Amino acid sequence: MSDLETLKSDFEAAIQAAADNEALEAVRLDALGKKGRISEQLKQLGQLPPEDRKQAGQALNILKDQIAEAIAARAKTLGAEAMNKKLAEEQIDISLPIAQQAQGFAHPLSRTIEEITAIFSDMGFVIAEGPDIETDYYNFTALNIPPEHPARQEHDTFYLMPDEAGQRPVLRTHTSPVQVRTMQKMKPPIRLIVPGRTYRSDHDATHSPMFHQCEGLVIGENIHMGHLKGCLIDFCRAFFGVDDLPVRFRPSFFPFTEPSAEVDIGCSRSDGGLKIGAGDDWLEILGSGMVNPRVLENCGYDPEQVQGFAFGMGIERLAMLKYGIPDLRTFYDSDMRWLRHYGFVSADMAALHTGLGGE
Ligand code: PHE
């Protein structure tokens, strides 16, 4: 028995002395491994006289359990010690300056498109898209701009090579063809906007051969000019963030709307600066009108049953006015200094979509 007592205290001392998991594992093998000392003793039980065997066996098994328990307890302690050590060593010095990280910026145009879509989404509009390369039919004819109509010249169209049928595809000169494409596919009620690229052969400080428009289309029963006005007044005020922004509807002409109205917002100009809000001057910002019954018919609708309004705005122009960017050409120069000055950080972009009526 005294043998076992010695064995026990030897192992207990070794377990306590084990400084890490590796040392502890060595003790475990020495005691309980296949060739460990306790296992060896268990194997030798058979050589004992039968009357001693039972008692010796019991004593050995108890020792075996005690050693296993002691090893488990030591492993736990070692684990806790390792964790505490790690925590103490890994203390973070929050006063250290952070490493400089490259910061990306959203282009003012992306920002403006996000703002426009956020406002119209809150009003229940959905986003539609159409191709940049259009047929003459969708870009002009279906919109009540027949061949030889002077509006075709005004649009400074880029024509592509004729196809097999001799038809020349065009780079769409406005987003209005998407009105026709969606009306032919959908049944009223329709409430959509179409932000997208448009092309005209024109290049100066306020014109670029590629630019962006956002079309709007609302079709339903009993839609009238009052809806058009209410919708666009709300939009202008929300977009420029001026609650009492004066908005004026000025009679105009577009072949695809009748009547048509140009929309102006109030502004004042002093010392060469432009201020949007009540003032003695006006700025034109978009075209609009009631969808021409001929366009409705071209889309298979009965103008006696459904009516609607449409509008179209130049996105660069809105961005220039809102953010005081003087030259349109700089939008496409890819100059990082310009982007750092006029760009937006992504967190501010995410905050735009706050959901219905959100602040
Ligand atoms: N498509 C017109 C343009 O490019 C704008 C517009 C759209 C006007 C819809 C009325 C209705 O100038």
Side-chain angles (χ1 to χ4, degrees), residues 117-125 234 238 351-359:
T117 50
I119 295 168
F120 282 110
S121 306
D122 278 356
M123 294 190 207
F125 283 68
D234 278 358
L352 280 174
H353 293 269
T354 50
L356 271 179
E359 275 300 347

Side-chain angles (χ1 to χ4, degrees), residues 155 173-174 176 179 200 213 215-216 254 256-257 287-289 310-312:
H155 276 205
T173 57
H174 51 177
S176 302
Q179 285 189 32
R200 287 182 203 178
Q213 286 192 339
E215 194 80 8
F254 298 101
F256 34 91
T257 49
S288 69
F311 53 89

Side-chain angles (χ1 to χ4, degrees), residues 155-232:
H155 276 205
D156 301 309
T157 315
F158 284 115
Y159 285 95
L160 277 67
M161 297 295 282
D163 60 19
E164 308 87 69
Q167 297 284 325
R168 285 191 304 174
V170 299
L171 292 182
R172 66 178 179 192
T173 57
H174 51 177
T175 40
S176 302
V178 187
Q179 285 189 32
V180 179
R181 285 183 176 275
T182 43
M183 279 195 272
Q184 286 180 348
K185 273 193 301 224
M186 293 166 68
K187 283 198 164 59
I190 290 176
R191 209 186 295 179
L192 54 86
I193 54 166
V194 186
R197 288 195 184 89
T198 45
Y199 306 82
R200 287 182 203 178
S201 175
D202 214 347
H203 198 193
D204 59 35
T206 52
H207 297 89
S208 147
M210 189 280 296
F211 60 107
H212 295 73
Q213 286 192 339
C214 184
E215 194 80 8
L217 178 70
V218 173
I219 303 282
E221 285 173 22
N222 303 318
I223 299 289
H224 53 72
M225 195 82 184
H227 295 120
L228 178 155
K229 291 180 75 176
C231 171
L232 292 177

